[in-house]
Amino acid sequence: MIARVIVDLKHHQVNRLFDYFIPAEMESFLQRGMRVIVPFNEMKRLGFVVEIVEESNQASKEIEDVLDVEPIIDDELFEHIDLLMKTSNITLSHAFETVLPSEIFIQYEKQVICLDESRIDQSLKSKFNKNGVWVLKKSDIQYQYQIKKLKEAKIVETRTALKTKAKAKVIKTYHFNVNHRYHKINNNLELISFFNNHDEVNKADLNAYGFSDAQIKTLIKHEVLQVIEKEVIRNPYSHIIENKKDIKLTDEQNKVLNQILSKQDQYLLKGVTGSGKTEIYIKLIESYVMKGAKVLLLVPEITLILQMLKRVSPYVEKIAIYHSGLSHGERYDQYERIRNQNVHLIIGTRSAIFSPIQNLGLIIVDECHDQAYIQEDSTYYDAITHAIKKASYHQATLLLGSATPSVEHMFYALNKQFRLVELKSRPLNLPMPKIEYVDMKQELTKGNTSIFSEVLMQKIESRLKNKEQVLLLFNRKGYAPYIMCRQCGHVPTCPTCQIALTYFKSDGLLKCSYCHYKEAKQLSCQSCQSTAIKEVGVGIEYVEEVLKKTFSNAKIARMDKQTIKTKNGHETLIKDFDEQAYDILLGTQMIAKGLDFKNVTLSAIIMADLSLNIPSYTASEQAYILFAQMTGRSGRFYPGEALVQAYHLDHFAIKSLSKNYDAFYKEAIHIRKLANYAPFKQMAKITFEGEQYLKTYQEAFKIKKYLESQDHEVLGPYEQTLNRKVDIYKFEMVVKYIKLDKSELFIKITELMQKKWFVRFFPMSREI
DNA sequence: AGCACGCCGACT
DNA sequence: GTCGGCGTGCTC
């Protein structure tokens, strides 16, 4: 028998199946989806069995080891892998890596084993540990020649050692054996009496009561104490204890709940901000758990998991948490709990969509408009697309929830791909916040040069007086978007991206917003040594400064990437603001995400224009979502107001805020239709990288011609200069299509990859 | 991606 | 003759 194996190496040149003989003793239990260790070109590697076949003329080596008792990849996961491979041109190894937790992968360690210590050069002796093993580090490459010589002389040998990243955590507990036959037991009467009151005791407790390790050891030796090993779950959120409150649904909420419960289907729940979507989630979860089905609840960000957990935990007994921020050990435990069907509810971020849930009845995707459901780095995927797949696979109900669905999801709902259910009002008869606009052009003619309009200042003042809270959005990081020398006009730029560096006052740094480049801000100009350096434009740090000057008696907090850097920084800030340790919370777009503050009665957007000037066809949609979510933070428990300051108030993303989502959608979908953007045409970006300018352009052009011959519209290729690597030229094009045969395109791309071009296909729209 | 091998040039 | 750098070719 032959196993067809994908080897854990992420490169297009080895992106195919390799055949291995299955040793007779493995034949009975080896299955598709299991992890194996295989010899591969002078090394040992982890592999995944994708297929088992009778014969192959390719195989020449045997599988060395099988790591699993049960397949770690089931049929469902293979389908997700398949979908990933059809979405963008990644390697199979990338796909496996994406759907599996990193803990089930293996770390490879190259070891040099000493065979004859006496013949090893003095200078190398310190490299070996006391067992005569030298673990090679990256920096040890310089010794490769010496090692080779030693190997030839049979003084050392090398091997690949494999290490797991996480294991089950085991604690030992001690149990008193009444049937022991230890005659000197009377020396330990104290200990015995201790066990009269305690059944199972762990070592730390025994030590704490004054029993020494030596004492314990002796008693174990004479079988007075029995050791019981127990696996324990590392629980990252064990400190959450919340009280159960009775949830009373409004008539509108009840109607929606019953609609969703009545039929297994895929729903889009559109409910205005503060309409109580979470209460519906809780009722749904309770109902499914009662039926014995499992529920998966996705939220866009790690920080929202805690909030959701606080809300949901009183109603569900066994909850697993799954996200990328867990430690190896924690994630391993949560993964095993899910696999062993030991939980009712899984709360997680986008990667949780791949968790191995059996008997799944319901998937909820909260704030489904959020871009965070799309992973854009090495492996592109849209968790919502996979949620649809997962729901179909399990015949589970899917519920996408948002106050502001993406234009595409709304379009699909209106075209019956999702069943649309709506919540149009807030409970407790609370009105939606009243929206007011301020034209900053007029503010200037009135003689107010501040970034705060007079109306806004008055409104903040009155909130401070009434001990109510204010949320302010200013969506630009740092202190100033760039700095300039007034003597010679020099602007510090990023050496790789060639764009102006953003100035961060609190760290005294200049940072590039495209790559990770940063440098210290100098007191004098690097070009002419003048000290007349001026900040140009405003960022959130500057706004904070002005705010503190203007309202010197108010307690003001700032929330952006910089201020929440510390662990729990975000959590602490939210908690403090909620407990009214601050009057005003100023933040970038992160303050608009899913927060529920009782005492906020004013939310304001300063310089709304900042969010509109992004070069993407979804810019207006993203801006509207941000604004609507932001204004929706106000007046959740007491009537509230919202204020929008901008220069271009006539933009529809701003104008429709005072109307409703449907007004925005109508305008947005009209523009999409006119410009042939998604959802009317699907869109994708293809990037080409190569060492030669002209050749790379030509190869890109060939692909363009090919796509055009298939009647697809192609924009570009145009050169990309931003964030370009040294000596690598980059071209980019956008293809618009209705139905694209990607497998044929990917084959062409793969051919280019083999010829040392680097080509990537990124979806820009969601295909459903 | 990661490994060995082979060629080349520099340095005893 | 040795050592290290880099390009090339292969992986069941």
Side-chain angles (χ1 to χ4, degrees):
Chain A
M1 296 284 269
I2 305 293
R4 315 205 71 197
V5 172
I6 218 39
V7 181
D8 176 31
L9 279 171
K10 290 179 207 73
H11 193 97
H12 279 82
Q13 281 185 33
V14 285
N15 184 27
R16 58 198 158 95
L17 295 171
F18 290 89
D19 294 355
Y20 288 89
F21 295 116
I22 304 173
E25 71 272 17
M26 293 179 190
E27 271 191 16
S28 61
F29 63 88
L30 187 68
Q31 289 176 57
R32 160 184 145 100
M34 284 184 176
R35 293 175 299 162
V36 288
I37 301 295
V38 289
F40 189 77
N41 193 17
E42 312 283 325
M43 52 182 157
K44 274 178 205 171
R45 279 267 145 179
L46 177 70
F48 299 95
V49 178
V50 169
E51 209 181 348
I52 292 177
V53 292
E54 290 292 328
E55 272 180 58
S56 161
N57 50 13
Q58 303 283 323
S60 64
K61 294 181 184 174
E62 277 192 347
I63 285 180
E64 204 163 288
D65 204 357
V66 183
L67 302 188
D68 297 312
V69 183
E70 288 286 315
I72 200 146
I73 303 157
D74 58 13
D75 290 346
E76 184 201 345
L77 224 43
F78 272 113
E79 283 193 25
H80 285 290
I81 288 170
D82 207 42
L83 180 56
L84 287 174
M85 296 301 293
K86 284 179 180 153
T87 311
S88 62
N89 65 320
I90 51 167
T91 65
L92 271 158
S93 283
H94 275 106
F96 280 91
E97 184 192 43
T98 305
V99 302
L100 293 167
S102 66
E103 291 69 35
I104 70 107
F105 287 85
I106 274 176
Q107 280 173 335
Y108 305 92
E109 204 174 76
K110 237 199 133 182
Q111 296 181 346
V112 182
I113 317 294
C114 175
L115 300 174
D116 185 353
E117 203 188 332
S118 61
R119 287 161 68 200
I120 283 177
D121 194 83
Q122 199 59 42
S123 64
L124 291 179
K125 275 207 170 137
S126 64
K127 294 280 180 188
F128 291 87
N129 65 20
K130 60 174 186 277
N131 300 322
V133 177
W134 173 9
V135 177
L136 284 183
K137 295 189 205 114
K138 275 248 165 72
S139 57
D140 288 333
I141 290 178
Q142 50 175 313
Y143 299 108
Q144 65 175 19
Y145 188 78
Q146 286 179 53
I147 294 167
K148 197 182 149 191
K149 288 279 150 194
L150 290 170
K151 218 169 130 181
E152 278 164 12
K154 303 239 187 286
I155 300 169
V156 301
E157 60 182 30
T158 57
R159 70 172 182 213
T160 318
L162 310 167
K163 287 173 120 185
T164 53
K165 289 183 191 169
K167 284 187 189 139
K169 186 176 174 182
V170 175
I171 58 160
K172 285 181 184 168
T173 58
Y174 300 94
H175 184 79
F176 188 73
N177 178 14
V178 259
N179 303 321
H180 72 86
R181 301 232 198 123
Y182 184 43
H183 58 279
K184 284 188 182 169
I185 188 69
N186 290 345
N187 296 352
N188 293 284
L189 286 176
E190 234 182 302
L191 193 131
I192 294 160
S193 69
F194 179 77
F195 271 97
N196 283 335
N197 306 320
H198 300 82
D199 195 25
E200 268 178 34
V201 186
N202 64 34
K203 186 167 162 292
D205 286 343
L206 275 181
N207 290 145
Y209 280 99
F211 302 113
S212 71
D213 286 357
Q215 258 179 305
I216 298 168
K217 212 171 151 187
T218 315
L219 291 168
I220 292 168
K221 196 173 122 195
H222 294 283
E223 297 175 348
V224 178
L225 292 184
Q226 287 171 330
V227 183
I228 302 167
E229 290 196 344
K230 261 193 178 172
E231 279 188 23
V232 292
I233 306 284
R234 283 157 281 211
N235 189 346
Y237 293 103
S238 54
H239 58 288
I240 308 270
I241 302 155
E242 294 283 320
N243 293 326
K244 193 165 178 166
K245 290 173 210 133
D246 249 359
I247 297 177
K248 280 230 172 67
L249 297 186
T250 63
D251 291 348
E252 195 187 30
Q253 285 173 317
N254 254 320
K255 207 182 129 205
V256 165
L257 174 70
N258 290 327
Q259 236 176 316
I260 298 167
L261 283 173
S262 68
K263 191 171 179 293
Q264 181 259 309
D265 206 338
Q266 308 199 335
Y267 295 89
L268 175 63
L269 167 58
K270 176 158 107 30
V272 296
T273 51
S275 60
K277 289 185 286 294
T278 311
E279 281 81 22
I280 293 182
Y281 300 160
I282 292 170
K283 287 286 178 193
L284 279 170
I285 294 166
E286 273 191 318
S287 158
Y288 274 87
V289 170
M290 202 128 66
K291 280 192 276 181
K294 311 281 191 287
V295 181
L296 172 64
L297 171 55
L298 295 187
V299 294
E301 283 189 12
I302 295 172
T303 49
L304 297 174
I305 290 181
L306 183 72
Q307 314 220 29
M308 194 51 91
L309 191 60
K310 280 183 181 165
R311 297 285 294 275
V312 176
S313 61
Y315 308 92
V316 188
E317 197 192 333
K318 290 179 180 171
I319 305 178
I321 295 300
Y322 196 83
H323 60 81
S324 58
L326 297 178
S327 70
H328 283 316
E330 286 168 346
R331 191 165 37 235
Y332 176 86
D333 287 356
Q334 299 290 328
Y335 197 80
E336 285 304 306
R337 279 178 79 200
I338 299 168
R339 231 153 85 90
N340 298 333
Q341 300 212 53
N342 205 9
V343 290
H344 302 122
L345 169 68
I346 297 104
I347 306 178
T349 50
R350 64 166 181 255
S351 60
I353 197 63
F354 300 118
S355 54
I357 310 165
Q358 300 304 315
N359 193 16
L360 180 66
L362 172 69
I363 304 174
I364 301 171
V365 183
D366 188 27
E367 313 286 1
C368 67
H369 58 268
D370 203 298
Q371 287 289 102
Y373 286 118
I374 294 176
Q375 172 160 305
E376 294 206 291
D377 59 13
S378 62
T379 304
Y380 171 100
Y381 72 91
D382 171 16
I384 295 179
T385 310
H386 286 269
I388 293 167
K389 174 154 213 73
K390 200 177 187 76
S392 319
Y393 185 91
H394 290 273
Q395 297 187 337
T397 287
L398 173 67
L399 176 63
L400 308 178
S402 173
T404 52
S406 69
V407 173
E408 285 165 88
H409 286 148
M410 189 63 190
F411 178 83
Y412 293 131
L414 292 172
N415 285 281
K416 314 284 180 213
Q417 262 134 317
F418 302 122
R419 198 173 279 254
L420 183 65
V421 285
E422 289 191 64
L423 289 172
K424 292 183 175 168
S425 56
R426 290 183 168 183
L428 311 167
N429 287 325
L430 272 172
M432 293 303 288
K434 197 175 136 252
I435 311 261
E436 210 172 305
Y437 296 105
V438 181
D439 185 343
M440 290 308 280
K441 298 192 293 284
Q442 282 175 21
E443 207 68 18
L444 193 68
T445 31
K446 276 198 285 184
N448 176 15
T449 56
S450 157
I451 43 171
F452 303 116
S453 64
E454 277 174 24
V455 199
L456 178 57
M457 290 198 272
Q458 282 162 18
K459 284 189 190 293
I460 293 176
E461 205 62 73
S462 85
R463 294 309 185 290
L464 292 175
K465 213 179 284 168
N466 293 339
K467 298 265 177 247
E468 292 169 359
Q469 287 172 293
V470 180
L471 275 181
L472 296 178
L473 172 76
F474 189 87
N475 200 14
R476 186 151 67 193
K477 60 192 168 183
Y479 189 82
Y482 66 99
I483 58 170
M484 188 177 83
C485 170
R486 302 190 91 179
Q487 206 76 52
C488 70
H490 173 75
V491 174
T493 53
C494 173
T496 47
C497 308
Q498 315 287 316
I499 59 153
L501 297 169
T502 310
Y503 172 42
F504 289 80
K505 196 174 187 176
S506 49
D507 329 324
L509 290 174
L510 298 169
K511 296 187 205 171
C512 174
S513 28
Y514 285 89
C515 64
H516 296 299
Y517 179 81
K518 58 185 171 193
E519 62 180 46
K521 188 201 174 211
Q522 306 295 331
L523 288 172
S524 57
C525 173
Q526 302 237 277
S527 157
C528 74
Q529 272 66 51
S530 153
T531 50
I533 293 172
K534 171 117 177 99
E535 299 91 20
V536 187
V538 294
I540 192 163
E541 285 181 295
Y542 172 80
V543 177
E544 186 191 17
E545 247 179 45
V546 179
L547 197 62
K548 281 185 169 160
K549 253 180 243 165
T550 318
F551 303 98
S552 51
N553 53 344
K555 286 166 283 170
I556 296 163
R558 187 182 103 220
M559 183 157 100
D560 55 25
K561 260 199 191 136
Q562 268 181 299
T563 61
I564 60 160
K565 255 181 208 147
T566 55
K567 205 182 174 204
N568 301 329
H570 185 258
E571 199 184 314
T572 315
L573 199 50
I574 290 169
K575 191 168 159 273
D576 289 350
F577 185 70
D578 201 32
E579 288 168 358
Q580 302 190 38
Y582 302 106
D583 305 308
I584 304 173
L585 180 62
L586 166 72
T588 53
Q589 48 184 305
M590 66 175 66
I591 59 166
K593 283 199 178 179
L595 302 176
D596 205 21
F597 299 119
K598 286 188 174 60
N599 200 37
V600 171
T601 58
L602 174 67
S603 66
I605 300 161
I606 303 159
M607 264 208 231
D609 312 73
L610 285 178
S611 308
L612 294 169
N613 303 325
I614 302 155
S616 154
Y617 81 100
T618 58
S620 326
E621 172 186 316
Q622 293 303 314
Y624 173 79
I625 288 173
L626 175 62
F627 299 159
Q629 292 289 338
M630 179 65 197
T631 55
R633 299 301 115 197
S634 166
R636 292 190 159 219
F637 288 84
Y638 310 102
E641 285 184 300
L643 193 111
V644 183
Q645 285 191 183
Y647 289 89
H648 299 98
L649 289 175
D650 49 347
H651 192 289
F652 76 94
I654 294 179
K655 262 200 303 195
S656 45
L657 285 171
S658 58
K659 297 166 197 161
N660 54 28
Y661 176 86
D662 296 339
F664 156 76
Y665 176 77
K666 214 177 132 196
E667 191 111 11
I669 200 77
H670 178 66
I671 293 168
R672 300 277 181 99
K673 175 93 189 159
L674 281 181
N676 254 330
Y677 285 138
F680 299 100
K681 277 207 172 180
Q682 300 298 332
M683 299 163 72
K685 185 169 79 182
I686 310 175
T687 61
F688 297 79
E689 286 175 42
E691 286 168 13
Q692 297 168 67
Y693 185 92
L694 188 62
K695 286 260 190 243
T696 310
Y697 182 81
Q698 284 169 341
E699 291 302 333
F701 203 79
K702 276 190 215 162
I703 297 285
K704 176 195 171 93
K705 283 290 159 209
Y706 161 75
L707 289 167
E708 281 178 344
S709 75
Q710 310 279 309
D711 288 334
H712 305 308
E713 192 185 330
V714 181
L715 315 174
Y718 37 86
E719 195 190 349
Q720 237 214 334
T721 48
L722 223 55
N723 209 358
R724 217 191 68 199
K725 293 165 204 134
V726 186
D727 292 333
I728 297 283
Y729 296 94
K730 203 166 166 181
F731 292 89
E732 193 177 295
M733 63 196 190
V734 172
V735 54
K736 289 165 124 186
Y737 60 92
I738 289 169
K739 209 165 172 21
L740 174 65
D741 182 356
K742 284 188 208 153
S743 58
E744 199 178 304
L745 175 66
F746 290 173
I747 289 169
K748 286 185 180 294
I749 289 178
T750 307
E751 281 167 18
L752 285 177
M753 302 279 266
Q754 249 114 45
K755 290 183 205 152
K756 298 205 171 163
W757 272 283
F758 193 71
V759 186
R760 291 199 55 190
F761 181 95
F762 287 99
M764 294 167 76
S765 57
R766 309 165 192 253
E767 281 182 72
I768 288 196

